[in-house]
């Protein structure tokens, strides 16, 4: 069945964060080998993020996103958290209204959805679950977004494979965009954009393949 997997990241409250969220979930699900639910997941996540962007919150607050695969139920869970108040409700907008259909679409596309208060007591988390097949296995090397890289994996940088010892994020001085920080086995810290593509392989797999580069290439 495989083990649970999850990716977490935060987005600034700006219009460009919606397509960014879609690009990130597309990359993450491509890494995990989930293709069947990918398009629906992109649509659902974009609607949840759009709704979170419209909520009134204290200045400087970010929108939190969690993507998780739950193997015991073959479910893909999407969570979007914000610091705003209120209860998300499905609306039935009139024909002349151009907005207000976000949760209506989520309800139609997801197997289940709901919301819960955040553990910190500030704001809420809106979640949706989609049926998803098992993860693909057996790939020696893949390309994924930096935000999807996990501790213990190997990334190819500067012509060599290096093991990731720790994964973290840091915000810019202005409090806007976030950067993924990968602490490598040689002590160097690689700072990249969350959506930046990296070539990755699991530990213990061969560092070369037919027609490819060797580890020092």
């Amino acid at each position: 069945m495989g083990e649970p997997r999850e990716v977490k990241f935060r987005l600034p409250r700006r219009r460009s964060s919606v397509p960014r969220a879609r690009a990130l979930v597309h990359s993450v699900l491509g890494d995990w080998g989930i293709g069947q639910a990918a398009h629906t997941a992109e649509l659902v996540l974009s609607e949840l993020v759009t709704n979170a962007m419209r909520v009134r919150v204290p200045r400087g607050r970010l929108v939190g996103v969690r993507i998780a695969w739950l193997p015991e139920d073959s479910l893909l869970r999407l969570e979007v958290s914000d610091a705003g108040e209120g209860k998300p409700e499905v609306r039935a907008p009139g024909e002349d209204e151009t907005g207000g259909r976000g949760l209506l679409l989520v309800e139609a596309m997801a197997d289940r959805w709901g919301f819960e208060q955040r553990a910190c007591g500030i704001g809420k988390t809106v979640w949706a679950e989609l049926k998803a097949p098992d993860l693909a296995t057996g790939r020696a090397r893949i390309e994924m977004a930096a935000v999807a890289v996990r501790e213990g994996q190997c990334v190819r940088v500067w012509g060599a494979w290096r093991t990731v010892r720790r994964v973290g994020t840091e915000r810019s001085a202005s409090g806007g965009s976030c950067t993924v920080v990968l602490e490598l086995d040689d002590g160097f810290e690689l700072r990249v954009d969350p959506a930046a593509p990296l070539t990755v392989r699991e530990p213990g797999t061969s560092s070369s393949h037919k027609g490819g580069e060797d580890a020092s290439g």
Side-chain angles (χ1 to χ4, degrees):
M1 289 292 292
E3 297 180 356
R5 293 195 181 188
E6 71 170 16
V7 168
K8 296 179 180 179
F9 53 90
R10 294 184 296 175
L11 298 168
R13 299 178 60 81
R14 58 181 64 148
R15 186 176 302 175
S16 60
S17 290
V18 176
R20 186 181 184 85
R22 291 186 63 160
L24 288 170
V25 73
H26 179 85
S27 178
V28 169
L29 298 189
D31 161 38
W32 292 352
I34 297 178
Q36 182 177 342
H39 180 65
T40 302
E42 290 178 42
L43 293 176
V44 169
L45 185 63
S46 65
E47 293 296 342
L48 295 181
V49 172
T50 297
N51 285 348
M53 296 292 176
R54 293 172 175 166
V55 175
R56 291 176 178 263
V57 300
R59 186 173 181 178
R61 294 301 181 98
L62 302 178
V63 171
V65 176
R66 175 176 179 259
I67 305 168
W69 184 72
L70 311 176
E72 63 274 12
D73 299 312
S74 292
L75 285 176
L76 180 67
R77 184 177 173 96
L78 308 172
E79 299 179 358
V80 176
S81 302
D82 63 69
E85 299 179 353
K87 175 182 177 181
E89 296 181 348
V90 177
R91 292 181 53 202
E95 294 182 1
D96 296 334
E97 294 185 69
T98 58
R101 294 177 173 82
L103 288 180
L104 193 63
L105 292 173
V106 171
E107 186 174 58
M109 292 184 288
D111 289 87
R112 295 195 309 161
W113 79 276
F115 80 100
E116 55 197 33
Q117 297 301 313
R118 297 173 67 188
C120 62
I122 302 175
K124 62 188 175 300
T125 295
V126 184
W127 56 267
E129 293 179 341
L130 311 172
K131 285 292 184 182
D134 291 346
L135 303 183
T137 57
R139 292 176 295 170
R141 60 172 72 183
I142 53 178
E143 188 174 275
M144 67 173 71
V147 71
V149 176
R150 306 187 310 279
E151 293 180 7
Q153 289 182 318
C154 300
V155 295
R156 189 168 180 81
V157 291
W158 309 298
W161 289 102
R162 302 174 190 273
T163 302
V164 178
R165 298 303 185 195
R166 188 181 66 84
V167 180
T169 58
E170 61 182 27
R171 296 174 62 179
S172 64
S174 62
S177 60
C178 291
T179 299
V180 171
V181 182
L182 303 179
E183 182 180 313
L184 307 178
D185 52 9
D186 58 0
F188 189 84
E189 291 187 346
L190 178 66
R191 286 172 166 78
V192 292
D193 184 274
L198 295 176
T199 301
V200 179
R201 65 176 173 85
E202 296 295 337
T205 58
S206 175
S207 60
S208 62
H209 60 88
K210 186 176 181 179
E213 308 170 317
D214 59 27
S216 62

